[in-house]
Amino acid sequence: MDPILTSRIMSDVLGGLTNGVVYGLVALSLVLVWRSTGILNFAQGAMPMFATYVGMGLLSYHLSYWPCVAISIVAGFAVGGVTERVLVRGLYGKPEINPIVVMVGFLIVLEGAAAAIWSTKPRGLPNPFSSIDYQIGGKPFGLSDFSVFEIITAVAVMVIIASLFRFTKLGLQLRASALSPEVSRLLGVRVGRMLTLGWMLSTGVGTVTTILVASNYFTGLTPQVMDGVFAFGFIAAAVGGLDSPVGAIISGISIGIILQFVGDYFNSNDIILVALLILVVSLMVRPNGLFTRSSVRRV
Amino acid sequence: MAASATTRRAAVGASTGVLAVVLSFAFASSTRVAVALSLFLVILIKGMVLLTSAQLRATHPVIARAALTVVVIDVVLFATYFFPANTNSNLAIGAAMSIVLLGLSFLTGASGQISLGNGAFMGVGAFAMAIWANHHATSPIAVGLLVAVVSGAAMGLLLGLPATRLRGPYLAGMTLAFAVAFSAILSSFNSWTGGDSGLQLPTAATPPQWLLNFFGPGTSLLTTNSMWTADIAIFVAGIAFFFMANLFASRTGRAMRLIRDNDVAAELVGVSLPRTRVVAFVVSSAYAALGGSLTTLIDNAVSPSTYSFALSITILSLVVIGGIGTIPGALIGGIIFAYSNSVITWITNQTGLNPQGNLASQLNGIIFGVLLIATMLFAPMGIAGTVRHLRHRRRRRVPG
């Protein structure tokens, strides 16, 4: 067997890729909301967390795994839509601090409510796939059934979102209302609905991400399950540029791989430090992100 | 006319002062108490005389602010002598937190930037104080506080440099990442920070001998110590508020508000955006660190779990609820923080919730979150800002 396939480097790359697609998904969901409404959603981790509790809670009512996943995603759409209608609607055009503060408040309310209803005890989600690494010639190879599933799911979500935006009339309307709400309204696009839809999609993507994260045997589902992942996802989105979905995914995957090496060769405590360093350095070099085309702000 | 009014005020002040001293000595139980009482009254009267002069407020605002600070410190320090120990420790916690809040309030209110990491900056100060005290056991408290302020400012500068080019959401996200990373940072410097268990101060902050003599024998250690830490915290908070009030009104403060309202216009009139932004960020971090170091002093120990991301959000909530960019707002927030645990316990008792239950343990976060959202949606100026707004409106309605 080729020794390169079972080397430490290869296993780090593959492990990093598995984490990286998750960061990329979180970054993508942040970009979706940012592009459509100009708001950085700090509750982007907590809203899907809540939806996942609702959906996966049905497991204890003898519902099987896949229907629960579907219900979770629908709950995610609902949470996103309701949040946009009730909380966010009044915040458009306000100083940029206002939505940040409101969404941070929503984050702690959701985490508090989830802990009050379902307790802070980690809840293990049944994992439909094995997490044991594949063996090549008796040596572990950095992938398992579950991580392959994780990567395939993430790529599928990315492809679905991309084709929705690129190839459908709905996607065109979504892009138009983000680009120029007034002209779109003039041309008959229901801009309000498009904004709601943007939040629904974003929370739906977030719910898929949360299920992937919480299916990990070591974390389980907790009210704070997405806090750390959100931080990495935000770093990925900021490094890539909040305007760029492709940038979000690429930098999410790159950061995942870099951090896997850091965790393996240094210390697990250093992971978040290096992530912070990447963020600080990249923001100093390019404050609007590496993949954003225009960096000039209109006055 | 003005001169005679000033003379009259001075005469009234002097005679009231003399009267106060005479009365103190006549009625106090001992010479010591009489000296303390007359000192308190003379400072109070002198301050009030300065404060009531409209002319002084207009021509020498710094002196007027100093007078206000001295009067407030004077009254509150005097009051701590009579307060029970738990009131004093609440007062100390409130004073320490109000310094932190003032820093964030200044950053957000004056320069329009937002930080979700001030809990971590508070932790920087708290640990700097504890580490310093453990390495220099005999060093005076003031030096420890100064070390904490300098470390907080240095950390703020480090993170603030990229902040000079960042706009709201990016800066908020970066400070959030810092807050989340803070516990890992502490673990990385295990040998200094004491790991998960944190650090103890080598000696508790005890009042000096003359003050203990003043209390007389038999006063419990708890009473004297809580009074002493409260006095330190209030004194330091007074100075911090005095500096901030002047900074708000200074050229730098005006430049910051201009940046907040229109950064292009600010640059046009020659305000350096990067420098002003970084100054605001560094000041806010230094204030957070100062509040944190006082907290170490009050608790006599520091634990890494205190300075979690949740604390950063609590700080933000308190600033918003109190009123962003207002000085009274920071005080209101500090008081809310000091009494929030008692209020939560009261609510739990009144509603008959199981205090160990899920809901009771989450009540603090849920209530702060709801208040934060409600304030931002319905009264974005917070308590202090709304009160000021209402007062201005009423004043405008009255003709003449």
Side-chain angles (χ1 to χ4, degrees):
Chain A
M1 268 294 135
D2 194 352
I4 189 82
L5 281 178
T6 54
S7 67
R8 194 174 172 185
I9 292 176
M10 193 64 195
S11 127
D12 282 343
V13 168
L14 293 172
L17 180 68
T18 318
N19 289 337
V21 290
V22 169
Y23 304 154
L25 279 183
V26 175
L28 179 67
S29 60
L30 285 171
V31 169
L32 281 177
V33 162
W34 174 262
R35 281 199 19 154
S36 63
T37 55
I39 288 174
L40 181 61
N41 181 10
F42 280 93
Q44 187 59 56
M47 287 160 56
M49 172 279 295
F50 204 83
T52 308
Y53 262 110
V54 170
M56 300 316 263
L58 296 174
L59 281 171
S60 32
Y61 295 94
H62 307 293
L63 221 60
S64 57
Y65 183 78
W66 296 106
C68 284
V69 170
I71 293 170
S72 304
I73 296 172
V74 172
F77 284 139
V79 170
V82 170
T83 306
E84 198 275 339
R85 282 280 149 125
V86 176
L87 270 188
V88 184
R89 224 0 104 83
L91 294 169
Y92 300 131
K94 291 274 168 63
E96 61 189 359
I97 288 170
N98 296 26
I100 295 176
V101 170
V102 169
M103 293 326 285
V104 167
F106 197 41
L107 160 78
I108 50 175
V109 170
L110 282 179
E111 286 187 355
I117 302 172
W118 295 290
S119 98
T120 50
K121 233 183 2 226
R123 177 180 290 224
L125 294 187
N127 196 335
F129 298 100
S130 155
S131 301
I132 299 165
D133 276 1
Y134 297 142
Q135 308 275 317
I136 293 181
K139 282 187 162 181
F141 174 63
L143 287 177
S144 62
D145 281 345
F146 179 64
S147 55
V148 170
F149 168 67
E150 217 169 326
I151 294 169
I152 291 175
T153 311
V155 173
V157 169
M158 290 164 190
V159 169
I160 291 171
I161 294 289
S163 21
L164 174 73
F165 272 86
R166 191 149 293 177
F167 302 121
T168 66
K169 193 170 173 228
L170 189 65
L172 186 65
Q173 291 184 339
L174 279 164
R175 280 186 290 154
S177 23
L179 198 67
S180 170
E182 276 158 17
V183 176
S184 312
R185 194 168 287 128
L186 197 64
L187 295 173
V189 177
R190 306 284 298 264
V191 174
R193 283 192 189 169
M194 292 303 127
L195 299 181
T196 313
L197 192 62
W199 278 72
M200 288 171 71
L201 282 176
S202 149
T203 317
V205 172
T207 309
V208 175
T209 322
T210 311
I211 295 172
L212 290 178
V213 172
S215 295
N216 187 318
Y217 175 77
F218 294 105
T219 45
L221 184 59
T222 64
Q224 263 102 29
V225 68
M226 294 301 281
D227 277 4
V229 183
F230 174 85
F232 291 124
F234 165 77
I235 291 173
V239 169
L242 281 172
D243 277 328
S244 161
V246 179
I249 292 163
I250 293 176
S251 61
I253 292 172
S254 326
I255 286 174
I257 293 174
I258 294 172
L259 296 183
Q260 187 78 10
F261 275 99
V262 171
D264 189 15
Y265 284 85
F266 298 98
N267 182 328
S268 62
N269 272 330
D270 297 332
I271 293 177
I272 182 90
L273 283 185
V274 172
L276 193 63
L277 198 70
I278 293 174
L279 178 70
V280 168
V281 170
S282 91
L283 287 180
M284 282 181 91
V285 179
R286 287 209 55 171
N288 288 305
L290 299 175
F291 293 87
T292 322
R293 248 175 260 131
S294 71
S295 62
V296 180
R297 191 164 56 91
R298 269 181 305 164
V299 179
Chain B
M1 277 313 278
S4 80
T6 311
T7 327
R8 201 165 55 231
R9 187 175 288 110
V12 170
S15 47
T16 328
V18 171
L19 189 67
V21 174
V22 171
L23 285 178
S24 315
F25 276 87
F27 287 100
S29 52
S30 72
T31 325
R32 275 200 211 96
V33 177
V35 170
L37 196 59
S38 40
L39 194 65
F40 157 70
L41 288 171
V42 167
I43 294 176
L44 182 67
I45 291 161
K46 181 67 189 160
M48 292 306 277
V49 167
L50 285 172
L51 265 184
T52 46
S53 157
Q55 196 196 353
L56 180 83
R57 279 205 305 269
T59 54
H60 299 285
V62 177
I63 296 177
R65 276 182 220 120
L68 179 64
T69 314
V70 168
V71 167
V72 171
I73 292 181
D74 186 46
V75 171
V76 183
L77 287 194
F78 190 71
T80 57
Y81 178 69
F82 302 98
F83 285 153
N86 63 344
T87 307
N88 273 339
S89 64
N90 278 339
L91 214 58
I93 292 166
M97 182 46 95
S98 67
I99 299 176
V100 180
L101 301 182
L102 190 62
L104 182 59
S105 187
F106 169 74
L107 178 73
T108 309
S111 77
Q113 296 168 288
I114 196 162
S115 167
L116 300 180
N118 273 30
F121 282 115
M122 205 177 156
V124 170
F127 273 92
M129 174 86 181
I131 292 167
W132 177 262
N134 273 304
H135 287 254
H136 308 270
T138 53
S139 115
I141 289 168
V143 179
L145 296 179
L146 205 65
V147 169
V149 170
V150 171
S151 358
M155 200 67 199
L157 188 65
L158 200 68
L159 273 186
L161 280 178
T164 58
R165 297 175 66 184
L166 298 182
R167 304 209 301 118
Y170 281 97
L171 183 63
M174 192 186 75
T175 49
L176 177 142
F178 175 56
V180 172
F182 188 62
S183 66
I185 298 176
L186 289 177
S187 314
S188 293
F189 297 95
N190 236 326
S191 53
W192 287 72
T193 59
D196 289 339
S197 49
L199 292 170
Q200 289 271 329
L201 287 189
T203 48
T206 41
Q209 198 55 44
W210 58 265
L211 197 65
L212 286 175
N213 290 341
F214 180 76
F215 277 107
T219 322
S220 83
L221 207 65
L222 180 70
T223 311
T224 53
N225 279 6
S226 62
M227 191 197 104
W228 180 240
T229 45
D231 286 352
I232 294 174
I234 289 157
F235 186 74
V236 173
I239 295 172
F241 271 74
F242 171 67
F243 270 107
M244 192 57 95
N246 287 314
L247 192 57
F248 255 103
S250 73
R251 195 187 144 81
T252 316
R254 281 199 303 276
M256 281 167 189
R257 284 193 293 277
L258 184 56
I259 289 181
R260 178 197 62 192
D261 295 334
N262 190 338
D263 51 356
V264 179
E267 273 200 298
L268 203 63
V269 296
V271 173
S272 159
L273 277 191
R275 205 181 56 208
T276 316
R277 280 203 175 127
V278 96
V279 165
F281 199 78
V282 168
V283 168
S284 136
S285 321
Y287 266 62
L290 180 60
S293 60
L294 284 173
T295 310
T296 299
L297 198 69
I298 295 162
D299 296 343
N300 209 22
V302 55
S303 150
S305 59
T306 313
Y307 299 100
S308 61
F309 177 50
L311 181 68
S312 291
I313 298 185
T314 305
I315 292 171
L316 178 71
S317 315
L318 291 167
V319 168
V320 170
I321 294 166
I324 295 173
T326 64
I327 286 176
L331 278 178
I332 296 170
I335 294 167
I336 295 177
F337 181 73
Y339 284 93
S340 60
N341 280 336
S342 324
V343 172
I344 299 289
T345 315
W346 181 80
I347 293 177
T348 317
N349 289 337
Q350 289 294 309
T351 52
L353 279 174
N354 172 12
Q356 261 80 49
N358 284 338
L359 182 58
S361 58
Q362 299 301 324
L363 218 49
N364 197 32
I366 296 176
I367 290 177
F368 267 126
V370 170
L371 285 178
L372 182 60
I373 297 173
T375 312
M376 209 69 229
L377 288 182
F378 305 116
M381 292 176 291
I383 296 175
T386 309
V387 167
R388 191 164 65 184
H389 182 71
L390 292 177
R391 232 174 44 200
H392 276 274
R393 211 168 56 182
R394 193 184 302 156
R395 198 177 295 161
R396 231 178 291 138
R397 255 190 229 140
V398 177

